[in-house]
């Protein structure tokens, strides 16, 4: 005999008991079904039990309309105990989208907004209220942009003020992150309301959950226009000291945020890496001549004739290691590394002038064909470092491979270059390499797994071993 369409067979299990296979009459009240299941296991108090899906999203099975109505009334009760219990239950069942639709259709979410705006409840009730609100909003049934400025100020206030309850701060940080990511107008409001100094201070606490939620909000803000501001606030040193070198292990979620922050920051170098040198740019030509003059300190150059000066420049650019010594800008037309190679050379010459002069003069005075070409080596090394640091690559949604050394340096690429170019020179001398060996030396570095692994695992520039290029 065929089954009725409203009756289905389902398996019900409970820890410590044999599973039941029952015929579920879908027209029966849920409470009656639960009572029958409890009777089958001789369990008293069926009102204390609920059915939950075992597979997929493990939400509770509810009679959404009745449950939503009961909780809607419960959170408005004059009895604070009833309000607390109702909000606690609401926070749990709001993960169910069917229930969320029923509750929101009664404007239940607006009751939660009012509780926050009034701020007359205890910390426990406020935590349940905020948690329930976040769960309801996660379904995307209503827009974040419908929230009042009073509500936003209250949530920001929970983050800015000294915490009386850590749970309130955690969920408040979650809510603010969702606001920032939902629209530009909310981003501007959050940016105006949240004290950045306080947000960065959350990275210095010992509570890893607060650190992670604060980092998530910072990353949401960083996707827009906050890099310059945060650099002034020494964000990296706080992360380096209070997160990477804290007593606890960096958790997966935090590792992902550090990876994204690192990737997005380094990718600010991509435009320079993709831009070739413009031989008609006076500024760029002046930088190249600045490299030459810093190395050779040519005296009374202006008194020379045009041809004599041109000949002298070509000779000195050759000593600097440019392949096209009559027009050195041509060496920097290839992209990558493009203008980034000029930037690293210029940084080295200005930041470490003694080391720069020593490198150039030591090699330009050799006559045994063993000189290490500074410019060619710099261009190749910059390219290799760009590849190791993944400059220009879009951050992965699941990536977590951050480099501790990134958070210890403000100018990581440039500082790495300054150390590695000197170690390259040392390696060149030890190999007694010649100009003909340039490709061989470059390939040795580029294919050196030890070189890449060492750099990405370094803690500070000073810990870079001299054997890194070997």
């Amino acid at each position: 005999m065929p089954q009725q369409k409203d009756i289905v067979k389902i398996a019900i299990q409970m820890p410590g008991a044999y599973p039941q296979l029952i015929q579920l009459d879908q027209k029966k009240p849920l409470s009656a079904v639960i009572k029958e299941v409890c009777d089958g296991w001789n369990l008293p108090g069926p009102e204390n039990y609920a059915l939950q899906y075992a597979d997929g999203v493990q939400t509770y099975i509810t009679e959404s309309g009745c449950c939503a109505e009961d909780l809607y009334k419960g959170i408005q009760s004059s009895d604070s105990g009833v309000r607390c219990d109702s909000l606690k239950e609401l926070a749990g069942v709001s993960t169910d989208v069917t229930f969320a639709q029923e509750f929101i259709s009664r404007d239940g979410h607006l009751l939660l907004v009012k509780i926050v705006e009034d701020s007359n409840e205890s910390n426990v009730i406020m935590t349940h209220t905020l948690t329930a609100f976040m769960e309801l909003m996660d379904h995307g049934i209503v827009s974040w942009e419908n929230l009042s400025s009073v509500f936003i100020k209250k949530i920001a206030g929970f983050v800015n003020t000294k915490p009386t309850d850590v749970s309130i701060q955690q969920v408040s940080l979650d809510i603010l992150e969702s606001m920032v990511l939902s629209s530009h107008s909310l981003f501007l409001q959050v940016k105006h309301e949240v004290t950045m100094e306080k947000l960065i201070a959350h990275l210095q606490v010992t509570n890893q959950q607060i650190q992670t939620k604060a980092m998530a909000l910072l990353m949401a803000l960083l996707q827009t226009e906050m890099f310059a501001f945060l650099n002034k606030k020494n964000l990296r040193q706080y992360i380096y000291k209070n997160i990477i070198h804290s007593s606890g292990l960096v958790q997966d979620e935090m590792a992902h945020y550090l990876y994204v922050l690192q990737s997005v920051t380094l990718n600010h170098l991509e435009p320079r890496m993709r831009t070739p040198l413009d031989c008609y740019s006076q500024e760029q030509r002046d930088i190249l001549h600045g490299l030459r003059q810093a190395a050779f300190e040519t005296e009374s150059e202006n008194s020379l004739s045009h041809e004599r000066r041109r000949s002298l420049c070509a000779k000195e650019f050759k000593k600097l290691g440019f392949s096209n010594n009559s027009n050195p800008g041509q060496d920097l037309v290839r992209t990558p590394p493009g203008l980034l190679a000029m930037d690293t050379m210029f940084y080295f010459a200005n930041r470490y002038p003694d080391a720069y002069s020593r490198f150039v003069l030591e090699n330009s005075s050799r006559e045994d064909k063993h000189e290490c070409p500074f410019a060619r080596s710099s261009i190749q090394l910059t390219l290799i470092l760009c590849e190791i640091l993944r400059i220009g690559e879009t951050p992965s949604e699941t990536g977590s491979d951050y480099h501790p050394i990134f958070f210890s340096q403000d100018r990581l690429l440039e500082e790495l270059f300054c150390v590695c170019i000197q170690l390259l020179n040392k390696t060149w001398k030890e190999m007694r390499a010649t100009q003909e060996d340039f490709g061989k030396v470059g390939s040795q570095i580029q294919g050196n797994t030890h070189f890449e692994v060492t750099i990405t695992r370094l803690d500070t520039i000073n810990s870079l071993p001299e054997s890194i290029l070997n």
Side-chain angles (χ1 to χ4, degrees):
M1 183 176 179
Q3 287 184 319
Q4 298 178 31
K5 64 179 181 178
D6 293 318
I7 297 178
V8 295
K9 285 186 177 181
I10 62 169
I12 300 178
Q13 57 187 11
M14 184 180 74
Y18 288 107
Q20 295 186 42
L21 181 65
I22 69 169
Q23 287 190 330
L24 175 65
D25 185 346
Q26 298 179 71
K27 288 185 175 181
K28 271 189 180 181
L30 182 61
S31 57
V33 175
I34 293 175
K35 185 179 184 307
E36 289 179 4
V37 173
C38 287
D39 289 344
W41 278 318
N42 296 318
L43 298 173
E47 67 274 6
N48 297 320
Y49 293 89
L51 297 178
Q52 183 183 30
Y53 291 108
D55 299 323
V57 181
Q58 298 177 348
T59 55
Y60 287 98
I61 300 171
T62 64
E63 289 180 312
S64 299
C66 295
C67 183
E69 183 64 27
D70 291 342
L71 293 180
Y72 180 80
K73 293 176 180 178
I75 64 178
Q76 298 179 79
S77 171
S78 58
D79 186 325
S80 62
V82 173
R83 292 199 306 277
C84 185
D85 291 342
S86 297
L87 286 163
K88 181 179 180 181
E89 185 178 352
L90 178 64
V93 299
S94 291
T95 56
D96 187 302
V97 64
T98 304
F99 168 83
Q101 289 170 337
E102 289 286 348
F103 189 77
I104 290 173
S105 71
R106 292 166 169 77
D107 288 335
H109 62 297
L110 298 181
L111 288 180
L112 303 182
V113 170
K114 190 174 187 308
I115 292 173
V116 173
E117 290 178 345
D118 292 344
S119 294
N120 295 323
E121 299 287 7
S122 67
N123 288 339
V124 175
I125 288 182
M126 188 59 70
T127 299
H128 294 325
T129 301
L130 294 172
T131 303
F133 175 81
M134 186 66 199
E135 294 293 352
L136 290 170
M137 295 300 290
D138 264 352
H139 296 295
I141 299 169
V142 292
S143 171
W144 285 94
E145 294 194 72
N146 294 329
L147 298 172
S148 68
S149 59
V150 175
F151 179 84
I152 296 172
K153 287 177 183 289
K154 289 290 184 181
I155 300 296
F158 293 142
V159 170
N160 288 334
T161 57
K162 187 174 181 179
T164 53
D165 189 291
V166 171
S167 298
I168 291 179
Q169 282 204 330
Q170 285 185 24
V171 69
S172 295
L173 287 164
D174 260 342
I175 292 171
L176 290 173
E177 180 198 4
S178 294
M179 288 181 187
V180 168
L181 295 175
S182 67
S183 77
H184 185 66
S185 62
L186 282 175
F187 157 74
L188 293 175
Q189 290 184 65
V190 173
K191 177 187 171 186
H192 177 71
E193 294 296 338
V194 175
T195 305
M196 295 304 296
E197 289 84 353
K198 187 63 180 177
L199 192 54
I200 293 174
H202 288 317
L203 299 179
Q204 302 174 63
V205 302
T206 56
N207 186 303
Q208 286 192 337
Q209 285 298 314
I210 289 292
Q211 283 184 330
T212 302
K213 301 298 183 186
M215 180 62 78
L217 178 54
L218 277 170
M219 290 307 305
L221 293 169
L222 285 171
Q223 299 301 321
T224 50
E225 56 191 56
M226 300 299 288
F227 269 105
F229 182 84
L230 287 170
N231 282 334
K232 293 178 183 176
K233 296 298 176 183
N234 300 316
L235 172 63
R236 290 187 196 180
Q237 73 179 41
Y238 294 129
I239 293 174
Y240 185 73
K241 178 181 178 182
N242 299 105
I243 295 177
I244 295 176
H245 284 285
S246 67
S247 56
L249 293 174
V250 176
Q251 300 300 311
D252 291 344
E253 187 177 0
M254 177 62 81
H256 174 68
Y257 292 136
L258 296 179
Y259 156 78
V260 173
L261 177 57
Q262 166 187 289
S263 298
V264 174
T265 304
L266 287 172
N267 280 350
H268 275 61
L269 298 171
E270 183 180 8
R272 299 288 287 179
M273 183 184 77
R274 303 287 185 197
T275 305
L277 185 137
D278 180 2
C279 294
Y280 295 100
S281 167
Q282 186 61 49
E283 179 186 2
Q284 294 172 18
R285 293 198 333 242
D286 288 345
I287 291 175
L288 289 178
H289 281 286
L291 288 172
R292 179 182 61 82
Q293 291 165 349
F296 301 109
E297 299 181 357
T298 305
E299 296 181 5
S300 63
E301 188 176 301
N302 292 332
S303 63
L304 300 175
S305 66
H306 176 72
E307 287 301 321
R308 179 78 181 97
R309 184 173 182 274
R310 186 174 179 179
S311 174
L312 177 64
C313 290
K315 181 180 179 181
E316 290 179 342
F317 275 125
K318 183 178 181 180
K319 289 181 178 180
L320 264 178
F322 283 95
S323 299
N324 194 328
N325 56 300
S326 61
N327 187 5
Q330 289 296 318
D331 286 29
L332 296 163
V333 169
R334 185 182 60 147
T335 61
L339 291 177
L340 211 50
M342 183 180 73
D343 295 341
T344 54
M345 288 189 282
F346 186 72
Y347 182 88
F348 181 42
N350 282 271
R351 183 76 174 81
Y352 304 102
D354 291 342
Y356 171 68
S357 296
R358 186 166 54 251
F359 184 113
V360 175
L361 295 177
E362 178 183 291
N363 285 285
S364 62
S365 62
R366 292 180 183 169
E367 296 181 357
D368 54 3
K369 296 185 180 181
H370 290 291
E371 66 271 23
C372 178
F374 172 72
R376 287 180 67 194
S377 300
S378 296
I379 294 167
Q380 184 70 11
L381 178 59
T382 302
L383 176 61
I384 293 170
L385 291 174
C386 286
E387 292 172 351
I388 290 174
L389 298 176
R390 307 285 193 271
I391 295 173
E393 290 188 12
T394 303
S396 163
E397 292 183 1
T398 58
S400 60
D401 187 18
Y402 70 90
H403 311 322
I405 192 174
F406 169 79
F407 297 94
S408 70
Q409 294 288 331
D410 288 332
R411 303 285 295 271
L412 176 61
L413 174 70
E414 292 88 342
E415 288 292 335
L416 274 177
F417 171 85
C418 292
V419 174
C420 291
I421 193 67
Q422 295 177 78
L423 293 178
L424 186 149
N425 185 41
K426 181 175 180 291
T427 301
W428 183 280
K429 288 190 292 185
E430 290 172 352
M431 291 178 62
R432 290 194 56 78
T434 64
Q435 291 280 347
E436 288 74 21
D437 297 321
F438 181 82
K440 186 191 303 181
V441 176
S443 298
Q444 178 177 331
I445 298 172
Q446 195 158 17
N448 192 333
T449 305
H450 170 63
F451 179 51
E452 178 171 352
V453 170
T454 302
I455 285 180
T456 55
R457 292 182 180 176
L458 277 178
D459 199 61
T460 64
I461 287 286
N462 294 333
S463 59
L464 193 67
E466 289 196 3
S467 60
I468 188 173
L469 300 179
N470 296 335

